[in-house]
Amino acid sequence: MCAALAPGLAVSVLKAIFQEVHVQSLLQLDRHTVYSIITNFMSSRETELKSLGADFTFGFIQVMDGEKDPRNLLVAFQIVRDIIVKGYALGPFAEELFEVTSCYFPIDFTPPPNDPHGIQREDLITSLRAVLTSTPAFAEFLLPLLIEKMDSDIQSAKLDSLQTLNACCMIYGQKELKDFLPSLWSSLRREVFQTASERVETEGLSALRALSTCLSRSVLSSDDEDILESFLRGILQDCRHHLCEPDMKLVWPSAKLLQAAAGASLRAYYRITSSVFPLLVEQYNKHLQSSQRRTILEVLLGFLELRQKWDPEEEDKSPLLCSKGALCSMVFSALVEPNVQLQLVGIRVLTFLGLLQGLLDHLDVARLVDSLAQFILHEEDSQTSLAAMEAAGTLTPFYPEIFSRCLVRKLSEGLHSELQEESSQFQHDRCLQALAAVSTHPSIMKETVPILLQHLQKVPKGSMQAGIHSVVSVCQSLQQVALQCKKNAQNYWYFHQAVVPCLMGLAVQAAMQENTHTVLSQVLLKEDSLSAMVLVISAACMYLSPELAAQSVSKVVPLFLDGELSFLPGNSFPSTFQPFQVGWDGQHPVATQKKLVALLTAFVCALPRNVPIPQQDRLLRELLALSCSCDCPFTATAAAKCFAGLVNKHPAGPQLDELLGAAMNKLEEGLNEGPRRSQALTLLLWVSKALLLRYHPLASRLTDKLLVLLGDTVLGPAAGDGFALLMADSPDVLGKSCHADVRLMFRQRFFTECVPQLVQGFHTASPGVKANYLKGLSHILNHLPKPVLVTELPTLLPLLLEALSCLDRVVQLSTLHCLQPLLLDAPLVVSLHVDTLVGKFLGLTESPAMAIRIAALQCLHALASLPTPVVIPYKPRVIRALAKPLDDKKRLVRKEAVTARGEWFLLGTPGR
């Protein structure tokens, strides 16, 4: 390692080692030292060592020959690779160098247990493969070895050989491969045709693709033989006839081989498909069974998927262009077949044909769109209809004009006719789904969004329920359009400007009509309708840029605070809009206006954190007042959520502290007495979650209040359920999608602070409220990461067992879901309580609630995985008890009972 060694000393040292030391007779550590000396000299004295010429290579061969220790082999393999890669002279010793390393191929090494060196079999395989595939000079020795090992019966040897062949093809040329191609193809073909291992088949196909890629790289001169052509000709000769066999047994192996070879290059693809495409059309017409035709279409689909790897068609003589007419007629004929599975494959094939730009002409595309429209509008099978919608959404960006003319118009007419004819909800929903699915191009979206908004204002004939369903379906389609266009800022802003003012305008107009006799007004103000509109508005705001969001929020907040209606479409508003108006005069319009706070919540809570909200302090105080003073639970919850969402994003400082102080006073006042204690509890839960997520110090005070409420006979059960809200991921205002401030590991922190108090409260509580504490505990544990739960299990398991005896079904179900993974992950702790667990689980298999019966059976199934000596005494009892659920009236319960009972029957049998 010395940097100041005199010139020539390195050569002298190595010569002495090569001539005087029999390295393989030394101890492992000394042999490792010799390899280290050589490695150090190769990195610092490369020029001197190269002056030795081939003598250095021969000397190292003698040093390494017979090495067996894996620690030394890793170093030795690296030295061999450096000799080759850094250009040391091999002279006449290339074969000897190959032999001294290839004798270890394939690696057969199992590391001893508790090996301190941590050398794995994969390390040795990778290191040896790097040596064997480092130079084309080894090709004439390596390829026969690989063929021999591929033909062996040992699966690991096959896999290693196939992976090594794949690596070789990266550096070999056709000169190295030429003489071995027939033998390689024969071995690869056999692996795919006859293998029982999916992994061997995958590696075989990968190796064939690598071979074909390697041959495709060769540049042809006029005198050269086209080896790729002859190689592919042999593959076609061996596989083509299997595609024509009447029983079609070997169609898939043959197709996989052909696709692997064709996927190497465009030249290989053209050569294979020019032969295969006409054959597939011929076989499709010859076979009449739907299953056979489906197989042929799936093979075609595989070839079409490959074509997407390269640029669009340019040459007039490409196989796809030549066979286009026959392929299209074949696929269109499949679409009119009565078999659903055949239709589904046909739709996928058509989609890929449509994606290959320049392939289909105008008439073909029109026919394609007509076929998709037929499936969407008239097909009874929902699976086919959904596939057609998906295909339409994929193809619309490529052919927007035709889809607009042929499909969007038909869908719009379909919606209009349904309103007139009172057709089924099923057809109505399908048209709405399809309009959303095709809104994947800006020009189409600008057509479909107005259609959907217009339809929202037309209530179908029938019951109020039908009107609500219609509004919800339209909103679901609008939400899908919003999520589809979120990546394009321009399209998203168009959607936002078109949809948000329209929805708010419709809702405000409905709420302001003194006598809401119109069916549309009544429908729009129903909670289900408003909840659906909330999702649309939220989806239309959460991906806005801060600049555009600020521009939009400057109009929405004044609408709710000051009744500023100017930005809403249409000016026929009969009165003022004051959702935060003080006073409870019992008039209907005031209460309905307050409901629309849900729309404000959806808007302001979906905005990015850095967007300034005008009059935020006033807005927060109005929301706080409304959340505690409103009799309508829907409105009170919306106000509480909006307050919590804004508090979560509010910058820390005196302003936030003052606001939270006011909130604490409101909570104290509301929780103590009065008719609106449940509204105060809702506010407490949402504010607690908002502060918990951002690690605010006040969160612990609010949690203490919640723990005290568990002992309340009236609010206790709801407070227990509230722990689920605190621990679960929020899908809306306090979720990451709405840019909420969510810190890492907030659940672990809450668990650490809260559970000791919860356990203590349980022990000191009166019998009537103990169930509330168990409910809270089970919700916390159910949402806690498993590793944390396992470490705390010894202290918490007795409480969980008590929770199983609780009469509250929510507690029982939550506890069962919590216990089931623990039975698998903490067997030693659980084994101490197995007697109690067996009794509790068997008792719950007779619960009136289906979900509890299923969960109890799943736990019994997991219980069978505990150490056999622990559970074997209970085998007869469990098998006898599980006979009853086998006759349960619910199929899902019977299914779980069969699985669990089978597991217990096998308990203690040989091989378990």
Side-chain angles (χ1 to χ4, degrees), residues 18 31-42 49 56-57 60-61 63-64 72-86 88 90 97 101 127 131 134:
F18 292 159
R31 299 201 305 278
H32 194 276
T33 305
V34 172
Y35 296 127
S36 300
I37 291 169
I38 296 171
T39 302
N40 292 335
F41 282 155
M42 286 179 78
L49 267 54
F56 173 72
T57 304
F60 179 72
I61 290 170
V63 166
M64 182 184 171
N72 292 347
L73 283 173
L74 281 177
V75 186
F77 289 155
Q78 185 58 50
I79 293 171
V80 177
R81 177 166 167 73
D82 288 344
I83 287 173
I84 295 165
V85 172
K86 293 182 178 178
Y88 286 80
L90 302 184
L97 189 61
T101 50
S127 191
V131 172
S134 58

Side-chain angles (χ1 to χ4, degrees), residues 478-503:
L478 286 168
Q479 186 186 2
Q480 186 183 337
V481 176
L483 297 175
Q484 283 171 187
C485 67
K486 66 184 181 185
K487 290 178 183 174
N488 185 313
Q490 193 176 349
N491 295 345
Y492 190 68
W493 179 235
Y494 163 79
F495 180 88
H496 177 88
Q497 287 182 303
V499 172
V500 173
C502 180
L503 290 182

Side-chain angles (χ1 to χ4, degrees), residues 17 21-27 30-31 34-35 62-64 67:
I17 289 174
V21 181
H22 185 242
V23 175
Q24 288 307 315
S25 66
L26 303 176
L27 295 173
D30 296 330
R31 299 201 305 278
V34 172
Y35 296 127
Q62 289 180 304
V63 166
M64 182 184 171
E67 181 60 67

